[in-house]
Each structure stands twice: as C-alpha cells, then as structure tokens.
Amino acid sequence: MKLPVRTAAPLAALLLAALTATSCAPRASGGSASGKDEKSGTLRVWLFREVDNAPKQGVVDRTVAAFEKEHEGTDVTVEYIPVETRAQRVKAAFNDPRSAPDVIEYGNTDTAGYVKDGGLADVTEDFTGWSESKDTDPTARQSVTVDSRIYGAPFFVGVRALYYRTDVFEELGLHVPRTQAELISTARTIHTARPDLYGLAVGGAYTYGAMPFIWAHGGELAVGKGGSYSAAIDSAEARKGIAAYTSLFGDGNCPTAKCAGMGGNDTVTAFASGEAAMAIGGDFSHQAIEAGKVRGRYAVVPLPGLKEGEIAPAFAGGNNIGVLKSTTHRTLSVDLMERLASKRTQGELFDAMGFLPTFVDVRKRVARKEPFVGPFVRTLAAGTRFVPASPAWAQIDSSLVLPTMFQEVVSGRKDVEAASAEAAKKMNDAFGSVG
C-alpha cells in the first residue's frame, strides 16, 4: 500500500528541517541509464516497513517536506514495503524501469547482488564529495562499496542482543544467562514454569538470529574472498551451532507448529506483546518493544557466547539508501538520498526508532545520551560478522536456503547433517552461478 508522505507536520519542524538540510542545491552528477536528469516532477521512494512504522514515517515525512520545499515543482511519494518480499519487488523494478522507484532502502547484504544486476547507480563521486561522508564508520562505508565503487549511502547499522523480561526472571529467581548453554536451559526452565510464555522466542525463518549460534561454535556460512566462495554451513562446527539453535524449537520452549515459520519481526512482536520471556532483537527493535506491553519490565544484554564472559559474534546488519540506475531524476535522487542518510535524519531516526547511526560522531553522541545503546555498542566492539560478499548471497537469501534448512530440522523431516548438506549444495550452486 502506498502511503502519502505529505502529511501535516508542525510548521516549526518544517522550517527547522528546511534551514538545516544537509544538502544545498543538488550537485551536477553523471548520467543515468535512462539518459535523463530531470530537475522537477515526481520522485518515488521505497523504504522498508518496520514493526511499528509510524515513528519512522514521521522522521521521513519531515525530511521529505524540507526537500520538497527547496525543490519547487518536485513531489515525493514514499511506499513502505515488507522486508520479506523485497527481493521480488526489487527484481521486478530492475526489469521494468517504468514501475521502478528512484530511491530505495536496501539491506547491506543486498549490495553486491543489486550491483551485479545493474540496478544501483554508481554514486562514488557524489558520496565522496558529500561533506558528511568523511565521518562514516569504515564498516558502514564498506557495506555500500563493490570493487572500490560506491553504490549508496549507509542509513543505519544494526546488531542484535538479548532482550529479557526482568519481572519474569525475578519471579522465577533466575539470573541472566552467561553462556549459550545457560540460555537454552533458562529458556526451557521458563517455559516449564510459565507455559503461557515462550522461554526464548525463536523463528525458523530468523536467519540473523540463528547465525550467532553458528559463529559462536566456530562455524562459518562460507569461506573464500573476492567473490569466490564455497559453502561451509555443513562443517562440523557449523552443525554444532545449527543443533544448538534448533534445540530451542519444540514443546520445551517454542512450539514448532507456531515458531517454525516465524521471522525476526515475529519474534520481536512476541516479546513486545508479552508472549515471550526472551528474544534476540536488534537496537532497531527498541522502539517497537517500548511501544509494547513489556515497557519498563525488560532489559538488554549482549547475547552470550559458549564461555562465560564471551559475546557471541553478531551479524553486522544495517540498511543503506541507494539511487536506481534507471532514474530519470538522478541529481534530485542523489540529493534526496543524502538527506535521508544525513546526520540529522539518522539522529532523529535514533530518537524515533533506536536505529544506530552510521556516523562515528553521531553514534558516540547518542550512546552518551541513551543507556540502552550500551549492550549493542559492546556487541559491535566484541567483533561482528557479515555474510559472504558475493552477488550470490541475494539468491541464497531470497531462495530461503537457510530458513529451509532450519525448518527441515525442527520439523523432523531431516537431521542436521542431511539438512546442512543440502543447504551447502544449494549455496555452492548459487556461488558457482556467479563465477
């Protein structure tokens, strides 16, 4: 459903946004695949829809209103699309420029694949000439870079940690899990004592919640570099992590019939609504949980590793803002990209949604202001991991290779060895298809 951006906003907010916009007149830039660079008209933007999207929309509305005020004759329409179906929507847009947006939000795991598909515009000169880009976290900058060229602007960085119900832990006399083994046993203890609660909400389609278990056990998704990878999901170490994660499904914690199909948003919703005592959620989940039934009755700690004192490696997630190569409004689109990814907007998105900024100076500022950021910053500092930097990852992700593997195990259709072997074969087929 397309949501109109031009909603009412306080006049003072509009004036302030207009006066402090990070980009002045749009810079001249290279051509697009369309061969056009119109300086007025309608810009279409696709952004991801969050669990509680209203605060995000409010920030975007103010940013867009300032942009429209500065660019007379320009209108912006924003559509909030489901993350889960982004692959199909974006692929269709790449194949049909007439239906494509000008600016999109995309996951940092999608960068290499979208570049290979020829969908994203090269904005290297625009980005490096943007005054704010010098303060971008190097890891975030790498997330928009392919073969030394830049294809977007980092929007926010995200890592996951362990949310837990302080009231439930106090009621049952439990301490916060210090190892993954304790995490699993604590989840079962809670569900036994409180059958109305998932001990730890998990999802068969929650790939990024499962990865820390694989990495903590010494496993990898794949090995290689420079675009040439081979699957490692079937290694002995990875299988131990898969077994640990899938052991959380079933009547002892999170019933398979309900949890096998759950994704990350579903587990966060379960926690926020009071249906779970623990959940693996991101810094970006904070606002949705604050808006839920458990407000004031939860805390966050880094997800534990195998040994006491260890932090499980987290996926270095996050999203970027990019310009489509097919746009007929390239200069305007680059300007809007920079406004959406600016320090000001990222600061407002932190306040509204809890999204961690990609600018080093802004992140330090918000960490001093809000204590809840602490566990996520510690998780970042402990060392994060990323998916294979291969165009094949988009195919692996959209084909649900890893969710299928988890779901086959928790349903009992296959054991860990057989399911991981099949997943490795599918991954290697995908890696081979891109060279």
Side-chain angles (χ1 to χ4, degrees), residues 218-296:
E220 298 288 350
L221 303 179
V223 294
K225 61 181 180 179
S228 178
Y229 286 87
S230 60
I233 196 67
D234 56 346
S235 70
E237 295 80 8
R239 284 171 173 167
K240 290 178 182 177
I242 296 167
Y245 183 69
T246 54
S247 73
L248 288 159
F249 292 80
D251 293 340
N253 172 56
C254 204
T256 301
K258 293 183 178 180
C259 301
M262 285 168 55
N265 282 354
D266 298 317
T267 64
V268 170
T269 299
F271 184 81
S273 63
E275 298 175 10
M278 295 184 287
I280 300 169
D283 52 274
F284 43 85
S285 307
H286 178 256
Q287 187 62 35
I289 292 172
E290 277 289 287
K293 294 182 179 179
V294 299
R295 180 175 183 175

Side-chain angles (χ1 to χ4, degrees), residues 4-339:
V5 165
R6 306 184 76 183
T7 54
L11 180 59
L14 296 182
L15 291 173
L16 182 61
L19 289 171
T20 58
T22 58
S23 300
C24 297
R27 293 186 299 274
S29 53
S32 66
S34 68
K36 298 179 181 179
D37 190 14
E38 299 168 1
K39 301 303 190 296
S40 63
T42 299
L43 296 185
R44 298 180 61 204
V45 180
W46 286 359
L47 301 177
F48 292 154
R49 185 169 65 235
E50 310 298 334
V51 175
D52 179 9
N53 201 61
K56 177 179 181 178
Q57 184 177 348
V59 174
V60 172
D61 285 354
R62 291 191 293 274
T63 303
V64 167
F67 174 86
E68 289 180 329
K69 184 172 183 178
E70 185 167 319
H71 299 289
E72 186 176 352
T74 301
D75 295 309
V76 178
T77 61
V78 176
E79 182 177 356
Y80 291 90
I81 66 173
V83 177
E84 294 79 8
T85 59
R86 72 188 188 280
Q88 299 92 321
R89 292 288 304 273
V90 174
K91 183 177 181 179
F94 288 170
N95 292 332
D96 182 13
R98 293 173 300 176
S99 67
D102 300 275
V103 177
I104 62 169
E105 177 179 358
Y106 66 93
N108 60 10
T109 61
D110 298 325
T111 307
Y114 288 177
V115 171
K116 179 179 182 292
D117 291 341
L120 292 176
D122 182 335
V123 295
T124 305
E125 285 72 29
D126 307 278
F127 184 83
T128 55
W130 179 30
S131 62
E132 294 191 350
S133 68
K134 68 181 185 305
D135 296 321
T136 302
D137 182 304
T139 302
R141 182 180 177 123
Q142 188 60 37
S143 76
V144 294
T145 303
V146 177
D147 295 331
S148 301
R149 305 298 294 176
I150 297 173
Y151 294 89
F155 192 36
F156 68 86
V157 63
V159 290
R160 291 165 175 82
L162 181 67
Y163 286 79
Y164 70 96
R165 286 273 298 277
T166 52
D167 58 335
V168 173
F169 273 66
E170 182 178 352
E171 172 194 334
L172 300 179
L174 300 172
H175 64 73
V176 180
R178 295 163 295 196
T179 66
Q180 283 194 4
E182 283 190 1
L183 175 66
I184 294 168
S185 64
T186 300
R188 291 172 176 162
T189 297
I190 293 170
H191 187 64
T192 298
R194 293 281 305 272
D196 58 314
L197 293 176
Y198 304 135
L200 171 66
V202 289
Y206 192 8
T207 301
Y208 299 115
M211 285 179 178
F213 291 82
I214 294 171
W215 288 324
H217 282 81
E220 298 288 350
L221 303 179
V223 294
K225 61 181 180 179
S228 178
Y229 286 87
S230 60
I233 196 67
D234 56 346
S235 70
E237 295 80 8
R239 284 171 173 167
K240 290 178 182 177
I242 296 167
Y245 183 69
T246 54
S247 73
L248 288 159
F249 292 80
D251 293 340
N253 172 56
C254 204
T256 301
K258 293 183 178 180
C259 301
M262 285 168 55
N265 282 354
D266 298 317
T267 64
V268 170
T269 299
F271 184 81
S273 63
E275 298 175 10
M278 295 184 287
I280 300 169
D283 52 274
F284 43 85
S285 307
H286 178 256
Q287 187 62 35
I289 292 172
E290 277 289 287
K293 294 182 179 179
V294 299
R295 180 175 183 175
R297 295 182 289 136
Y298 74 91
V300 187
V301 294
L303 188 70
L306 298 189
K307 298 178 181 178
E308 189 170 338
E310 290 182 346
I311 295 176
F315 167 65
N319 290 352
N320 304 322
I321 300 288
V323 173
L324 262 66
K325 203 171 184 179
S326 59
T327 182
T328 59
H329 301 86
R330 190 188 190 283
T331 300
L332 287 171
S333 296
V334 168
D335 184 27
L336 182 56
M337 173 192 78
E338 292 177 357
R339 289 171 183 265

